[in-house]
Amino acid sequence: ISKQPLRAHLMTIPTKRKIFSIPLNPYTTAEDYNNIFVPFLIKYKDWIYDVYFTARIPPFMQDAMGAVFKEEQLVQMFQNALALEQRTGVRVSATFNNVNVPPTMENLEIFVSNLRYMYDAGLRSMTQPHNHWMMTGILKKEFPELHVKNTVLKRVATAQDFWNAAEIGYDYINIDRILLRNETELNNIRKAQLA
């Protein structure tokens, strides 16, 4: 793999300001959503990378925390997320992070067929847990404008882990939170990113 295209796909580690991912809590009341959450996003959108939200489609019908939602709630959460993106200008990102879903080709086919409606409706960012699926190239082939992130549940703890995740095609790589205070390894990741 050429290092030049790889470098172009990686987000730089910010040095002058922090970039945050904010959760869209599915239990937020309409009043708090309109009076607190939306104004907050608009005010601080230059600091916010994206808003991630609970998304459930087969084979990801349960998240890593075990939350269960009715089908109509899932559709509403997705519609709310897209409306939020249009209203605030902050990108939304579907989160599929259940690492216990087997990374089989059959499950990838199920996932791709179910993700199609979300992509066609405007979804352009998601988190998914399986490096193997990224390595197949199928997600990028089927959804060329989709920005794909790794899940924080698969630990990227070294510069080599970072490089491996970049090499298989992730557009954004979440590093392990323990690294946030490890200046040496953060510098190594930065070097790997620019190599």
Side-chain angles (χ1 to χ4, degrees), residues 57-77:
I57 56 174
F60 295 101
M61 292 309 291
Q62 187 176 22
D63 70 5
M65 303 303 288
V68 178
F69 298 98
K70 295 178 183 172
E71 187 173 338
E72 60 271 9
Q73 289 173 301
L74 296 171
V75 172
Q76 188 63 53
M77 281 188 272

Side-chain angles (χ1 to χ4, degrees), residues 15-55:
T15 55
K16 295 186 179 180
R17 65 179 177 163
K18 296 180 180 180
I19 304 292
F20 299 93
S21 284
I22 308 289
L24 175 57
N25 187 327
Y27 302 111
T28 302
T29 65
E31 183 178 324
D32 286 348
Y33 176 85
N34 288 313
N35 297 330
I36 298 172
F37 192 65
V38 170
F40 177 87
L41 291 179
I42 292 170
K43 182 175 181 180
Y44 296 106
K45 71 181 180 180
D46 291 339
W47 292 77
I48 300 170
Y49 182 74
D50 65 11
V51 174
Y52 60 94
F53 66 96
T54 298

Side-chain angles (χ1 to χ4, degrees), residues 1 54 66 85 90 169:
I1 185 166
T54 298
E85 183 174 81
V90 176

Side-chain angles (χ1 to χ4, degrees), residues 70-140:
K70 295 178 183 172
E71 187 173 338
E72 60 271 9
Q73 289 173 301
L74 296 171
V75 172
Q76 188 63 53
M77 281 188 272
F78 176 57
Q79 291 172 347
N80 289 349
L82 289 181
L84 181 68
E85 183 174 81
Q86 293 215 341
R87 188 170 170 189
T88 65
V90 176
R91 180 187 355 213
V92 296
S93 185
T95 301
F96 305 98
N97 65 354
N98 189 341
V99 296
N100 294 317
V101 169
T104 63
M105 287 304 292
E106 179 183 357
N107 276 340
L108 177 56
E109 290 170 10
I110 291 168
F111 183 60
V112 166
S113 67
N114 285 290
L115 186 64
R116 175 80 45 208
Y117 93 92
M118 296 176 92
Y119 184 79
D120 290 346
L123 180 71
R124 291 297 181 266
S125 180
M126 75 164 186
T127 297
Q128 70 88 31
H130 299 313
N131 292 346
H132 172 71
W133 287 3
M134 286 304 294
M135 291 170 66
T136 68
I138 292 171
L139 291 172
K140 288 297 188 170

